[in-house]
Amino acid sequence: MNLWVLLQGFGLGATMIIPIGAQNAYVLNQGIKRNHHLTTATICSLLDTLFISLGIFGGGAILSQNELLLTSVTLGGIAFLSIYGLLSLKSAFKPESHGETKGEVLARGKRTVVLGALAVTVLNPHLYLDTVVILGSIGGQFEGNDRVAFAMGTVLASFVWFYSLSLGAAKLGPTLSKPNVKKGIDIAIATMMFVIAGILAHGLIDQYLS
């Protein structure tokens, strides 16, 4: 196996996954609450593995060549990110007295957390653009074992990042869960969601004006 290609996959995968997105925001929040945070990281990593593999081994070309499908995914991404941003803003400015108590957080079952992780991944069209289209189109240029090595590198980046984020958030939970800190995190997440949605919208407008 070509170690250099694997490292290329790891580096590119990290640049796609690390920037704050809906998945990262969800993993971060579950880590701060220590609410099945490792389960959340596992689900997000496994789903990334699925979509990255689909993209690199053929799915990326299908999506990128279908203009109507790609436009639909982009529009869905803009809507999803905008709604997630609004929800983060709502959380940031929610009165402290209405915040969740530790008992309320623990009362949430694993099923609820799993469904949340599935939602921020499967229902997030921006993820398809990153993993299936971008990583898929690049990874699809490799042949044979090099393509496998590239895929393994990107998948490894996903596992390393989500587990690091989850464990780090859990360790720093007491600090990150302070009202002012949590408010700042929610505002930062909302801002990033709106910025990404704006970039997608700008690209879509340019595409149809050109």
Side-chain angles (χ1 to χ4, degrees):
M1 181 174 292
N2 191 325
L3 180 60
W4 172 241
V5 174
L6 186 144
L7 291 175
Q8 281 183 284
F10 184 91
L12 186 59
T15 62
M16 293 287 103
I17 297 165
I18 290 176
I20 289 295
Q23 268 186 314
N24 289 337
Y26 187 76
V27 172
L28 177 66
N29 283 324
Q30 296 308 117
I32 292 173
K33 298 172 184 177
R34 299 185 182 184
N35 185 29
H36 300 294
H37 51 292
L38 292 180
T39 298
T40 303
T42 300
I43 292 171
C44 289
S45 299
L46 289 175
L47 288 173
D48 268 11
T49 300
L50 172 63
F51 291 125
I52 288 170
S53 299
L54 285 174
I56 292 176
F57 296 101
I62 295 173
L63 183 57
S64 61
Q65 291 171 9
N66 189 320
E67 187 174 336
L68 178 60
L69 182 58
L70 187 57
T71 299
S72 299
V73 169
T74 304
L75 288 172
I78 293 169
F80 180 88
L81 293 167
S82 298
I83 292 171
Y84 202 103
L86 289 172
L87 291 175
S88 294
L89 279 182
K90 181 180 178 181
S91 175
F93 294 102
K94 181 170 59 177
E96 280 185 46
S97 59
H98 293 165
E100 289 185 311
T101 64
K102 185 176 180 180
E104 289 172 331
V105 171
L106 293 176
R108 285 184 170 185
K110 182 180 289 188
R111 180 181 177 184
T112 302
V113 175
V114 169
L115 289 175
L118 288 170
V120 297
T121 304
V122 178
L123 299 180
N124 179 9
H126 186 251
L127 177 79
Y128 297 106
L129 296 175
D130 283 349
T131 58
V132 180
V133 177
I134 298 177
L135 290 178
S137 62
I138 296 173
Q141 297 175 18
F142 292 96
E143 298 291 340
N145 289 336
D146 283 350
R147 184 179 295 191
V148 175
F150 183 86
M152 288 181 64
T154 57
V155 167
L156 181 61
S158 178
F159 275 90
V160 170
W161 170 248
F162 284 126
Y163 276 97
S164 297
L165 180 62
S166 179
L167 292 171
K171 186 175 181 61
L172 297 174
T175 299
L176 298 178
S177 59
K178 290 180 179 179
N180 288 337
V181 177
K182 184 65 169 60
K183 182 177 181 178
I185 292 173
D186 284 333
I187 292 174
I189 289 172
T191 301
M192 187 58 68
M193 296 299 104
F194 293 140
V195 168
I196 297 173
I199 292 172
L200 288 177
H202 184 267
L204 198 59
I205 293 171
D206 282 350
Q207 176 184 336
Y208 279 92
L209 289 180
S210 59

